[in-house]
Amino acid sequence: MSYSQQIFEELSSRYPYQPEFLQAVQEVLVTLQPALDKNPAYQKHKILERITVPERSFQFKVEWLDDKGEIQVNRGYRIQFNSAIGPYKGGLRFHPTVNESVLKFLGFEQIFKNSLTGTPIGGAKGGADFDPKGKSDNEIMRFCQAFMVQLHRYIGATIDVPAGDIGVGGREIGYLYGAFKRLTTSYEGVLTGKGLTYGGSLARTEATGYGTVYFAQEMLKTRGESLEGKACAVSGAGNVAIYCCQKLKQIGAIPVTVSDSRGMIYDKNGIDVEILQQVKEVERASLTRYAELVPTAKYTPVSEYAQGRNNVWSVPCYAAFPCATQNELNLEDAKCLLANGCKCVAEGANMPSSIEAINAFLASGIAYGPAKAANAGGVATSQLEMEQNAGMCSWTFDEVDSKLHQIMVNIHNNAYQTSIEFGDKGNLVLGANIAGFRKVADTMIAQGVI
C-alpha cells in the first residue's frame, strides 16, 4: 500500500462520519503519490499525517436574541488548519449545513488554494449553522455580534484573517467587523471583504467570479480556443455566479443559466446581469422574480429536476461554471454535459464536482479547472486587501483587477507546468494539487517540529 493510500485509510477509519472532509482528502492524496515518490523526505517527515490534521480547531456556542425577544442557540466553529506559509486565511460560512466535516473539507482545500496564489497565507475556515435567509437585518446583526464575541479571541491581522463565504457577504462582514472593533478597541485588517469606507478593496466583490473566467481563458489558450461567442452554463446566483456572468459577458461569451436553491433560469439570449444584481443583491428575492422581469427567461423549479440532478447541467453549452456549492455536479450531470458538447469546466464553488464527475472530465480530455486553482481569485484578492490595510493605502479597481488577472495566469501556468513535469500534461487536478502541496510541505520541513 502506498504512503498516500495508507494515510487515507487511517483517516477513513478515524473519521467515517465526516464524508465531505474525506472526499476532499481523497481528491488530493490520490494525485500526490508521484510527488511523494520523487521526494522521500515528505514521508520521512510525516507530512501527510501532519497536513491532514488541523493545527487548532474551535467549537463554540452562539446565543442571540431574535426579533421576538426569544433566545436562539447556534453552533460556531473555526478550523485553523495550517499556518506554515502565513497567517490563517479562509472564509466564514453561515448555513444550516455547516458542521465540522464541511469546515474541515473547506479548510483543507484552503491550504493548497492559498499556496497556489503565491501569497503568504495559510489555510483556515469557519462559520455557523445559522441561516440568514428569512432573518431581519437586526437579527443578522445580533447574531454576528454574538458570533464575534466568541471568535475575536482567536483571530488577528497576523494570526487569522477570516473573510466571507456562503451566507456571509458585505452586510455580515460589516456587522462582524464592527463587533470586533468594539470588543478589542483595535482598528486592524482582521477581516477581508470589508466595505470600501473602512478598509475594503475594490474588485474584491468581483474577484472569485472574475478569476474563474480568467482561469478558463488560460486553459483554453493552451488549446488554441476561446470563450468568445460561446454559450456558458453557470450555476448559483450569489456573488460568485453574478460576477462570473458579468465577466463572461465582458469578454463576449454568453452566460445562459443561473440557479438558486428553488430553481433555475435559462435564457438563450444571455443573463441580464443588472437585473440579476437587482433581484439578488437589492431585493434578495427568488429567481422567480427574475423571470417576471425578463420575458425571454424560462424558469424551472427544483421540483421539476430529475432525481439527484441539477437541470443547469442539462443545458447544451461550450463551457460550464459550477458556482453554487459542494457536490452540485455528479456523474450523471458530467455525462450530460459531455454528451452535449461541453469543452471546458471551471469551478467557481468549492468542490462542486463529485470525484466520479471529476474522473469523467479528466478521462474525456476536456479543459477542467479544479476549484482550488480556478476559484482562488477570491482569496488572492483578500490577501491584496490585507496588503492595502497593512500599508494604509488603497488601490484602484484596475490595479487590483490587473493583479488578480496576473495571479490567475500564474496559478494556471504553475499547475500546467507541474502537470508536464509529472508526465500528465494538462491534468490540472494533479498539477494544482502537487504545486500547492510542495510549497507547504517544503516549508513545514524547513520550520521543523516543536
Side-chain angles (χ1 to χ4, degrees), residues 62-68 70 72 74 92-95 128 130-149 165-179 182 284:
V62 185
E63 300 174 325
W64 58 283
L65 294 176
D66 65 19
D67 286 344
K68 297 177 182 178
E70 295 182 3
Q72 301 293 331
N74 287 96
L92 297 171
R93 176 176 293 193
F94 291 169
H95 194 272
F130 169 77
D131 190 355
K133 289 184 178 178
K135 306 292 192 305
S136 70
D137 282 350
N138 281 334
E139 287 177 321
I140 290 172
M141 180 181 69
R142 286 193 292 271
F143 175 81
C144 289
Q145 291 169 341
F147 184 85
M148 187 54 75
V149 165
D165 194 81
I166 293 173
V168 179
R171 172 183 56 177
E172 290 77 16
I173 291 292
Y175 294 147
L176 289 164
Y177 189 72
R182 285 189 288 273
R284 300 183 186 277

Side-chain angles (χ1 to χ4, degrees), residues 48 100 357:
L48 295 189
E100 187 178 8

Side-chain angles (χ1 to χ4, degrees), residues 350-363:
N350 290 305
M351 202 171 74
S353 305
S354 70
I355 288 177
E356 295 78 13
I358 292 171
N359 290 338
F361 293 142
L362 293 176

Side-chain angles (χ1 to χ4, degrees), residues 190-201:
V190 74
L191 288 162
T192 55
K194 299 185 296 297
L196 296 177
T197 58
Y198 58 99
S201 174

Side-chain angles (χ1 to χ4, degrees), residues 30-321:
V30 75
T31 60
L32 290 184
Q33 195 57 49
L36 301 172
D37 293 338
K38 187 173 183 179
N39 189 347
Y42 296 146
Q43 184 166 359
K44 176 185 175 182
H45 289 271
K46 300 197 172 185
I47 295 298
L48 295 189
E49 289 91 333
R50 295 161 60 192
I51 207 168
T52 54
V53 177
E55 292 175 358
R56 298 179 188 85
S57 183
F58 307 103
Q59 180 175 345
F60 45 85
K61 178 173 58 177
V62 185
E63 300 174 325
W64 58 283
L65 294 176
D66 65 19
D67 286 344
K68 297 177 182 178
E70 295 182 3
I71 299 171
Q72 301 293 331
V73 181
N74 287 96
R75 280 150 290 279
Y77 307 84
R78 188 65 178 171
I79 310 291
Q80 296 176 335
F81 226 115
N82 189 286
S83 60
I85 63 173
Y88 302 109
K89 187 83 188 77
L92 297 171
R93 176 176 293 193
F94 291 169
H95 194 272
T97 60
V98 165
N99 57 37
E100 187 178 8
S101 176
V102 169
L103 295 179
K104 283 178 68 177
F105 122 60
L106 291 167
F108 183 72
E109 285 271 297
Q110 203 77 44
I111 300 169
F112 309 106
K113 181 190 301 185
N114 293 0
S115 172
L116 286 168
T117 67
T119 60
I121 44 179
K125 210 71 179 184
D129 59 357
F130 169 77
D131 190 355
K133 289 184 178 178
K135 306 292 192 305
S136 70
D137 282 350
N138 281 334
E139 287 177 321
I140 290 172
M141 180 181 69
R142 286 193 292 271
F143 175 81
C144 289
Q145 291 169 341
F147 184 85
M148 187 54 75
V149 165
Q150 300 297 329
L151 182 66
H152 79 278
R153 65 198 71 184
Y154 307 122
I155 62 177
T158 58
I159 300 169
D160 183 352
V161 184
D165 194 81
I166 293 173
V168 179
R171 172 183 56 177
E172 290 77 16
I173 291 292
Y175 294 147
L176 289 164
Y177 189 72
F180 176 84
K181 188 161 63 73
R182 285 189 288 273
L183 287 162
T184 64
T185 67
S186 174
Y187 204 105
E188 58 179 293
V190 74
L191 288 162
T192 55
K194 299 185 296 297
L196 296 177
T197 58
Y198 58 99
S201 174
L202 289 164
R204 174 60 189 92
T205 303
E206 295 85 354
T208 307
Y210 278 24
T212 303
V213 177
Y214 292 149
F215 193 87
Q217 287 181 300
E218 293 305 306
M219 288 195 293
L220 292 171
K221 279 182 186 178
T222 65
R223 298 162 181 253
E225 302 174 29
S226 79
L227 291 166
E228 187 174 354
K230 307 291 182 28
C232 299
V234 179
S235 67
N239 182 65
V240 181
I242 289 171
Y243 293 101
C244 176
C245 289
Q246 185 178 81
K247 180 53 66 175
L248 285 169
K249 296 196 81 169
Q250 287 176 4
I251 66 171
I254 310 168
V256 295
T257 66
V258 287
S259 63
D260 61 17
S261 60
R262 300 177 187 176
M264 64 163 283
I265 290 289
Y266 169 68
D267 189 340
K268 66 178 181 180
N269 297 322
I271 297 298
D272 187 317
V273 176
E274 290 186 2
I275 292 179
L276 182 61
Q277 288 174 306
Q278 171 68 27
V279 169
K280 286 297 181 181
E281 296 181 340
V282 179
E283 299 181 19
R284 300 183 186 277
S286 163
L287 287 175
T288 54
R289 173 63 175 155
Y290 181 95
E292 293 172 0
L293 297 172
V294 181
T296 56
K298 178 185 176 183
Y299 178 77
T300 303
V302 169
S303 60
E304 295 183 18
Y305 290 7
Q307 183 66 32
R309 297 284 309 284
N310 185 340
N311 268 27
V312 168
W313 313 127
S314 298
V315 174
C317 63
Y318 174 83
F321 294 84

